[in-house]
Amino acid sequence: MRELGFRRVLFLVHRSQLARQTKKAYQNVFSKSVSMGLVGTGNAEYDKDYVFATVQTLNKDQNLKKYSPDSFDCIILDEAHHSSANTYQKIMHYFTPKLWLGMTATPDKRDDEIEGRNIYEIFHHQIAYEIRLQQAMEEDMLCAFHYFGISDISTLDEKQLAKAKIGDRDFNNLTSDERVQHIVEQANFYGYSGERVKGLIFCSRIDESEELSNKFNQVINPETGKRYKTLALNGTATEEERQHAFERLAMNEGDSEEEPLDYIFSVEILNEGVDIVEVNQVIMLRPTQSPIVFIQQLGRGLRKAEGKEFVVILDFIGNYKNNFMIPIALSGDRTYNADNIRKYVISGNNIIPGGSTVHFDEIAKQKIFASIDKIKGIRSIIKESYCSLKNRLGRVPYLFDFYENGEIDPLVIIKEYKTYQNFLEYMEKELYVGKVAEKEKIILEYLSKTILSGVRPYELEILRREIRTGNLNIGEFCKDFEEKYQFSIDEKSFYNAIDVLQGRFVGKDDEYKKYSDMDLIVLADGDNSLKKSACLSYEFRKRLRHSEFSKQVDDIISVGLKRYSDKYATVDGTPFVLYEKYSRRDVSFLMNCGKDLSSTMYGMKRIGEDVFIFVTYHKEKVSDEKTYVDGKPDYADAFEDNMIFRWDTQIGRGIESSYVKDVCNAKRKHLFVKKSDAETNFYYMGQFDIMEKKAAKKKDNKGKERDIVKIRTKMHHPVREDLLRYLQSDIYTEKE
């Protein structure tokens, strides 16, 4: 405001408490260089330079008309996601300032599709500044926090909690003395920063918040030897009651004749517009409904205050389907890529920069992993992400927009809809005018499932070069490729990439029939292989004149190349990146197999001088009647430590078998591991050497002893500690 030279400023809020807090903060900056006043709840200081007003007061005609439309140089709207409301709109239509400035942590709302409700549109899609939790922590704008994910002893799920009325048995489960004692013990154990606890407790239901508050008030606080002082604050509380409660929570012993509050229990009214900087402990006793609400509630404790070094966040994690949203919220990653979410749970403290920490107890971790394995409602999540991005950009977004803006992973969209074309038709319906022909849709489907992931750049670069120039000299291309990527593309890989682009990378006959006549690339003869050229077919060039089809092909190429650069690029061109995840199809693709060999790639696969071992670390539990489940023996595959891995060969394969010789004689031996069958892709653990092999016996499913070989290996690189812990941790099974 000062740098822009604005003499008169209106700061509009929806609660009088916020007006007072904001005025105080501005006075700390401007001192007495400008006059400041309040309008609303008994205050009428209309003539000040900087006015802090409530929308409820100012939108009344007799108050609004005290100003001319151009009275203010700048008008700031706090909690600007409310600006589509009639009260705000009346004020916005009346005034004509030089600058409207909206501030909000939640610009994306569920009614954004309704005309006039899109906050981005109200502000002409102009985003002056955006900052997320991770960046704010990096820049030391917020108080450090220590997050602890703790297993809850309540067994109720989201459906039970959402009922208008719940039975006595369920309510007693939610508010039992045992649960209260569990919460008190954990709150006391993990502590707080400051002279005394000043906490907020978020509940799932109003009746729960009231009963828990009553029970807390009967419990002795181990820190003070006195009973806790708490109250429940919900929607029926008046502005004065809320303000009084906040003051009691913030005060210290002896500040007033009244006793300070230790905790305020609530459901939603503390999610926004509450600025109690003294809060040093936040307790969450409810399922995470969305990452936005999670951050809103966590954020109640992130304001810096004198004598407060950090805030403690205690999240009691129950048997909730949405537990996967917790690591999404903490990491700020909105891709909803299951592998990424698992990594964040595994990484723990690596999620948040600076002095903040993240810890999950083992049972809480397993509850989150179980939720990740069964993510529900992904189409609703995709739709929400699309609407948010469309509103922000002011146009129809494409896959690269999702990737660049950190929205849902394009691969997640393709997994659900096969092509982005299908998704656009589903979302926009009759409004979507960019229809493509059925043959073009088949091409988009093949490119999306084959090169969009970006596991290697060959096909992407060839296709982009062809589209831009119309013709490609193989020798020149290989030279340019090496200059760009600092490793060469060999002749076999180049021709394999051409085969891929001709629709031949398939695993089934029906796929071959569907894709092999796409007719994208034509090879022309030359004196030698490097003088040969490749060009787009006449049919494909003709199809690219269709602007929507061309745009989507370019979109796939852009996403694939960016993903390669971000995830898979290596300095020496080696096919696999340590600890990234790959499917069996990816291995076929990267090893130039010419077709998808996934169906033959179980346990072990020898490809040329390379052998690949695929291990599921936790096998499905067997029934009493069977020695193993559905052809999957319970092999003793396990890491002894971060270097030594024990592996059992396939049952019936003895020490002299060609199977074992294929493993032992391979020049390069690669290990791929996934935690359980719920995961589709494998972590690449790196190469290994065989230290010893020993003949052994194992019973088959008929009880007959068969040959196997127990092999002890040594990894070329120590396995990353957090990944090793994840693989070795038990699988959590939800109770039926």
Side-chain angles (χ1 to χ4, degrees):
M1 301 300 105
R2 186 165 49 202
E3 289 180 11
L4 292 172
F6 293 149
R7 297 180 61 83
R8 296 209 71 192
V9 175
L10 171 63
F11 201 104
L12 202 62
V13 299
H14 68 295
R15 299 250 299 276
S16 58
Q17 176 207 0
L18 293 176
R20 289 191 293 271
Q21 289 174 344
T22 308
K23 178 189 171 189
K24 184 178 178 181
Y26 270 64
Q27 284 173 331
N28 291 336
V29 174
F30 289 92
S31 188
K32 295 181 180 179
S33 61
V34 295
S35 62
M36 298 187 188
L38 297 170
V39 168
T41 59
N43 298 286
E45 299 171 302
Y46 288 91
D47 59 343
K48 302 299 182 181
D49 297 327
Y50 282 29
V51 176
F52 301 86
T54 61
V55 66
Q56 294 88 344
T57 298
L58 198 59
N59 89 95
K60 294 176 181 176
D61 287 340
Q62 66 269 29
N63 299 325
L64 193 58
K65 299 294 183 180
K66 290 180 180 179
Y67 294 112
S68 63
D70 61 354
S71 290
F72 295 102
D73 299 313
C74 175
I75 298 179
I76 303 169
L77 304 180
D78 190 36
E79 304 290 356
H81 51 279
H82 294 303
S83 60
S84 61
N86 292 336
T87 49
Y88 281 85
Q89 284 296 297
K90 181 178 178 180
I91 295 169
M92 293 184 77
H93 286 140
Y94 179 77
F95 285 112
T96 57
K98 296 174 184 175
L99 175 67
W100 287 101
L101 181 62
M103 299 191 301
T104 176
T106 53
D108 304 302
K109 308 199 317 311
R110 294 190 182 275
D111 59 358
D112 278 344
E113 294 176 86
I114 301 173
E115 188 175 353
R117 300 286 181 88
N118 184 344
I119 305 306
Y120 295 106
E121 188 176 1
I122 289 171
F123 288 90
H124 306 292
H125 303 283
Q126 294 179 320
I127 301 173
Y129 185 65
E130 182 176 12
I131 188 167
R132 296 188 185 178
L133 175 64
Q134 285 67 26
Q135 185 183 347
M137 300 303 295
E138 283 177 0
E139 297 182 10
D140 197 29
M141 296 171 67
L142 300 172
C143 175
F145 68 87
H146 300 303
Y147 169 93
F148 299 93
I150 304 163
S151 180
D152 198 349
I153 63 173
S154 168
T155 58
L156 272 63
D157 60 25
E158 292 102 327
K159 283 187 178 179
Q160 292 168 302
L161 291 171
K163 290 179 180 177
K165 291 190 71 175
I166 60 175
D168 291 344
R169 181 179 176 182
D170 286 344
F171 188 71
N172 291 337
N173 181 301
L174 201 57
T175 60
S176 66
D177 292 342
E178 291 79 10
R179 191 181 189 218
V180 170
Q181 191 59 38
H182 180 54
I183 297 165
V184 169
E185 286 175 357
Q186 300 300 323
N188 186 54
F189 177 78
Y190 289 108
Y192 51 86
S193 172
E195 293 182 9
R196 68 175 192 86
V197 67
K198 301 175 182 181
L200 302 178
I201 300 181
F202 291 95
C203 301
S204 55
R205 302 172 56 87
I206 291 175
D207 51 3
E208 173 198 11
S209 70
E210 293 169 345
E211 181 63 16
L212 287 178
S213 176
N214 290 335
K215 288 201 169 186
F216 257 68
N217 292 338
Q218 304 304 314
V219 174
I220 299 296
N221 181 344
E223 290 284 317
T224 65
K226 301 177 183 178
R227 286 190 174 92
Y228 281 105
K229 295 293 179 184
T230 77
L231 59 79
L233 203 62
N234 290 297
T236 57
T238 65
E239 179 72 25
E240 290 73 22
E241 288 172 331
R242 296 180 191 190
Q243 180 61 28
H244 185 57
F246 298 157
E247 288 172 357
R248 286 184 64 193
L249 186 70
M251 69 173 59
N252 289 318
E253 294 283 353
D255 286 354
S256 168
E257 293 182 2
E258 279 192 287
E259 287 189 279
L261 288 175
D262 298 307
Y263 292 104
I264 295 176
F265 287 78
S266 183
V267 177
E268 289 183 338
I269 69 162
L270 301 180
N271 285 6
E272 62 178 55
V274 176
D275 191 17
I276 314 171
V277 299
E278 294 84 0
V279 169
N280 55 20
Q281 193 182 81
V282 176
I283 298 178
M284 300 176 177
L285 301 177
R286 78 295 162 274
T288 300
Q289 295 300 335
S290 78
I292 290 173
V293 172
F294 181 95
I295 293 299
Q296 281 182 324
Q297 294 180 348
L298 180 148
R300 297 308 97 198
L302 294 183
R303 289 292 301 275
K304 291 186 173 184
E306 188 176 345
K308 173 179 154 186
E309 295 180 13
F310 57 84
V311 61
V312 171
I313 313 295
L314 304 181
D315 192 1
F316 288 79
I317 299 172
N319 296 332
Y320 307 136
K321 291 183 175 67
N322 281 353
N323 283 333
F324 65 87
M325 289 187 177
I326 298 169
I328 287 173
L330 287 168
S331 67
D333 185 332
R334 297 181 294 199
T335 64
Y336 286 85
N337 179 298
D339 294 334
N340 289 349
I341 304 171
R342 287 189 190 93
K343 279 185 183 178
Y344 293 129
V345 181
I346 296 167
S347 301
N349 292 344
N350 296 335
I351 296 176
I352 302 293
S356 297
T357 59
V358 174
H359 306 267
F360 297 98
D361 72 27
E362 287 306 312
I363 297 176
K365 275 185 185 178
Q366 300 314 318
K367 288 179 178 180
I368 294 173
F369 289 142
S371 170
I372 294 169
D373 293 340
K374 300 174 183 176
I375 290 179
K376 302 291 185 183
I378 195 66
R379 290 202 169 198
S380 296
I381 292 169
I382 293 171
K383 180 180 178 181
E384 195 172 306
S385 180
Y386 175 84
C387 292
S388 168
L389 191 54
K390 182 181 177 183
N391 290 333
R392 195 183 314 167
L393 299 176
R395 59 172 173 80
V396 170
Y398 283 79
L399 292 173
F400 193 74
D401 294 314
F402 283 89
Y403 192 85
E404 279 284 270
N405 287 276
E407 288 292 340
I408 197 160
D409 188 344
L411 296 186
V412 175
I413 300 174
I414 297 304
K415 183 180 178 182
E416 287 296 316
Y417 293 93
K418 292 189 177 180
T419 68
Y420 195 61
Q421 174 69 25
N422 289 341
F423 175 65
L424 285 177
E425 290 177 8
Y426 167 76
M427 285 299 301
E428 299 294 340
K429 298 182 172 58
E430 67 276 359
L431 296 177
Y432 180 60
V433 295
K435 301 290 176 70
V436 302
E438 197 59 35
K439 187 73 174 180
E440 293 168 346
K441 193 179 285 189
I442 289 172
I443 294 171
L444 293 173
E445 181 181 309
Y446 178 77
L447 295 178
S448 296
K449 72 184 292 186
T450 306
I451 65 173
L452 178 68
S453 64
V455 292
R456 76 176 184 186
Y458 306 160
E459 293 79 7
L460 295 158
E461 287 289 359
I462 290 170
L463 194 55
R464 184 168 72 168
R465 179 84 161 255
E466 289 276 19
I467 291 172
R468 288 182 177 179
T469 65
N471 192 49
L472 179 150
N473 176 274
I474 295 174
E476 290 177 3
F477 173 82
C478 292
K479 181 182 177 183
D480 293 343
F481 184 93
E482 187 170 0
E483 284 182 8
K484 179 175 181 177
Y485 290 99
Q486 300 302 302
F487 66 89
S488 60
I489 175 173
D490 59 74
E491 189 174 326
K492 180 183 178 183
S493 295
F494 179 87
Y495 283 105
N496 177 261
I498 294 294
D499 279 347
V500 169
L501 290 173
Q502 289 175 329
R504 294 171 186 163
F505 188 74
V506 294
K508 300 174 183 176
D509 290 341
D510 58 341
E511 288 181 324
Y512 186 81
K513 290 177 183 176
K514 184 176 185 180
Y515 300 126
S516 62
D517 63 344
M518 291 191 309
D519 194 24
L520 304 188
I521 303 286
V522 177
L523 279 174
D525 292 332
D527 296 339
N528 58 57
S529 60
L530 291 179
K531 288 187 177 180
K532 286 184 177 180
S533 62
C535 61
L536 299 180
S537 71
Y538 172 75
E539 282 297 320
F540 189 47
R541 283 203 310 272
K542 193 164 70 171
R543 294 188 188 285
L544 287 171
R545 293 175 196 153
H546 180 185
S547 61
E548 181 63 23
F549 174 69
S550 177
K551 185 173 187 176
Q552 290 194 41
V553 171
D554 186 65
D555 192 36
I556 290 168
I557 295 170
S558 298
V559 173
L561 287 172
K562 192 70 170 69
R563 280 180 60 86
Y564 174 78
S565 173
D566 292 345
K567 290 171 66 69
Y568 299 108
T570 58
V571 292
D572 56 358
T574 52
F576 304 103
V577 177
L578 210 57
Y579 311 131
E580 283 297 340
K581 294 200 82 172
Y582 297 89
S583 65
R584 294 182 177 95
R585 191 173 194 271
D586 290 333
V587 174
S588 303
F589 185 66
L590 291 168
M591 293 305 295
N592 292 329
C593 292
K595 63 179 181 178
D596 181 3
L597 300 177
S598 299
S599 60
T600 66
M601 216 175 268
Y602 287 90
M604 184 278 288
K605 183 68 177 178
R606 176 75 180 259
I607 303 173
E609 290 297 316
D610 294 81
V611 71
F612 299 88
I613 306 297
F614 297 92
V615 170
T616 302
Y617 210 86
H618 289 265
K619 310 297 189 297
E620 187 179 343
K621 288 189 176 180
V622 302
S623 64
D624 293 337
E625 296 82 22
K626 290 186 176 183
T627 307
Y628 51 85
V629 175
D630 299 330
K632 298 177 184 177
D634 186 17
Y635 294 118
D637 304 332
F639 281 101
E640 290 183 11
D641 53 34
N642 65 352
M643 289 295 292
I644 306 301
F645 182 73
R646 290 183 285 106
W647 177 64
D648 287 357
T649 64
Q650 192 177 55
I651 200 164
R653 308 288 188 169
I655 202 160
E656 295 299 325
S657 66
S658 60
Y659 178 99
V660 173
K661 288 178 181 177
D662 274 347
V663 175
C664 295
N665 297 335
K667 186 176 180 180
R668 293 171 294 273
K669 305 172 182 69
H670 307 268
L671 178 63
F672 289 82
V673 179
K674 64 178 179 178
K675 184 178 176 73
S676 71
D677 285 326
E679 298 183 25
T680 54
N681 294 344
F682 296 79
Y683 290 98
Y684 178 59
M685 310 303 288
Q687 293 188 42
F688 64 87
D689 296 318
I690 293 175
M691 298 174 65
E692 61 177 309
K693 57 182 185 290
K694 186 167 61 176
K697 297 284 187 181
K698 188 174 182 68
K699 288 182 179 180
D700 63 17
N701 209 24
K702 296 179 181 178
K704 182 181 178 181
E705 288 208 334
R706 306 276 302 280
D707 288 335
I708 65 164
V709 179
K710 290 188 171 291
I711 295 178
R712 198 161 178 261
T713 73
K714 184 176 182 179
M715 306 303 299
H716 286 192
H717 302 278
V719 176
R720 206 175 67 199
E721 184 181 349
D722 56 359
L723 181 54
L724 184 61
R725 281 201 312 269
Y726 166 64
L727 293 171
Q728 292 176 334
S729 62
D730 291 333
I731 293 288
Y732 170 77
T733 305
E734 292 183 75
K735 294 180 181 178
E736 296 296 330

